[in-house]
Amino acid sequence: MIGRIVGVVAMVVLAALLIWRLDVNGWGSLLWAGSGIATSVIRSPHEARNKQNTIARQDRQGIERVLLIGVMLGGSVIPLVHLLTGVFSFADYDLPWWATALSLLLVIPGLWLFHRSHTDLGRNWSVTTELRDDHTLVASGVYERIRHPMYSAIWLIFLAYPLMIHNWVAGFAVIVAFGAMYVIRVPYEEAMMVDRFGDEYRTYAEETGRLVPPLR
């Protein structure tokens, strides 16, 4: 209960500070904050529920922590510090209002896909690369044609950051950090699935695309 109260107070203070600096950062900063809050709201109940899972296997947890910290720094810390202090103002650039508005064309479908991918995975989802005791291969819903729709959703949201935060450092840091995570993590994540499900996963991989549905 106390943690929730602290979280609400922190969000109110953050919103007040961003509004105070709205003339400096532009209204895209509010879209950035809103997208971050939305992803947290979508993920929180799934994370709380799945803490009860009995884990059968975890892969490369040291690397996982480093990658997750990098995404947190690039997606939250660096943009927030810049928006509140202007520390990276030397790297600012200007975009017209409609370019900022275009970010919604990425964020809105990204948030929907983020929600659906969590819902369709159910108890099989986890923050890090791991398998639970009763892990199942999900090949329905948004996973019917795409193997990693959650990564697709996150790419859509993060690619909107440079349209919302007009700064070469604060806007693009998360793209670099998440790009590193994606390139490093996906191969051993899929290898773990092959170890668990064998030919069933190999067939599934042949019939799906990693981030977008196959053309065939």
Side-chain angles (χ1 to χ4, degrees):
M1 183 66 177
I2 295 177
R4 291 182 181 178
I5 294 174
V6 171
V8 170
V9 171
M11 284 191 290
V12 171
V13 172
L14 172 60
L17 291 172
L18 290 177
I19 291 172
W20 175 55
R21 288 182 55 85
L22 193 60
D23 59 331
V24 177
N25 297 321
W27 61 281
S29 62
L30 298 183
L31 293 180
W32 169 80
S35 66
I37 292 171
T39 55
S40 296
V41 169
I42 291 170
R43 172 163 283 184
S44 291
H46 299 279
E47 191 167 10
R49 178 198 61 204
N50 290 5
K51 283 182 179 179
Q52 307 303 317
N53 286 350
T54 301
I55 305 304
R57 174 178 172 180
Q58 292 179 315
D59 277 15
R60 306 192 183 188
Q61 292 301 291
I63 295 177
E64 291 275 298
R65 292 188 184 93
V66 172
L67 295 174
L68 289 170
I69 289 172
V71 173
M72 181 186 68
L73 290 173
S76 299
V77 177
I78 292 175
L80 183 58
V81 169
H82 169 69
L83 292 173
L84 296 182
T85 68
V87 65
F88 300 119
S89 58
F90 63 87
D92 284 347
Y93 53 82
D94 293 322
L95 288 179
W97 69 268
W98 54 263
T100 301
L102 285 177
S103 66
L104 294 174
L105 297 180
L106 296 172
V107 171
I108 291 175
L111 290 175
W112 176 84
L113 187 56
F114 193 70
H115 161 68
R116 284 306 319 168
S117 56
H118 277 85
T119 301
D120 290 345
L121 268 186
R123 296 298 293 262
N124 297 301
W125 172 78
S126 61
V127 175
T128 59
T129 304
E130 60 189 40
L131 295 172
R132 66 189 183 97
D133 276 350
D134 299 322
H135 208 96
T136 57
L137 177 59
V138 177
S140 60
V142 293
Y143 288 85
E144 184 176 356
R145 303 292 304 283
I146 308 173
R147 296 198 298 284
H148 302 287
M150 195 173 300
Y151 289 149
S152 303
I154 296 172
W155 271 122
L156 286 172
I157 296 168
F158 285 168
L159 286 173
Y161 276 28
L163 297 175
M164 297 185 286
I165 303 175
H166 304 164
N167 183 272
W168 290 103
V169 177
F172 284 87
V174 72
I175 295 176
V176 175
F178 185 69
M181 168 179 273
Y182 177 80
V183 170
I184 294 172
R185 186 178 186 178
V186 169
Y188 67 77
E189 183 176 316
E190 293 195 343
M192 182 176 69
M193 297 296 284
V194 170
D195 287 344
R196 177 62 178 261
F197 299 105
D199 289 340
E200 184 182 5
Y201 187 81
R202 292 187 182 94
T203 300
Y204 171 68
E206 291 174 356
E207 297 174 348
T208 56
R210 273 184 171 171
L211 295 177
V212 297
L215 295 177
R216 63 181 181 277

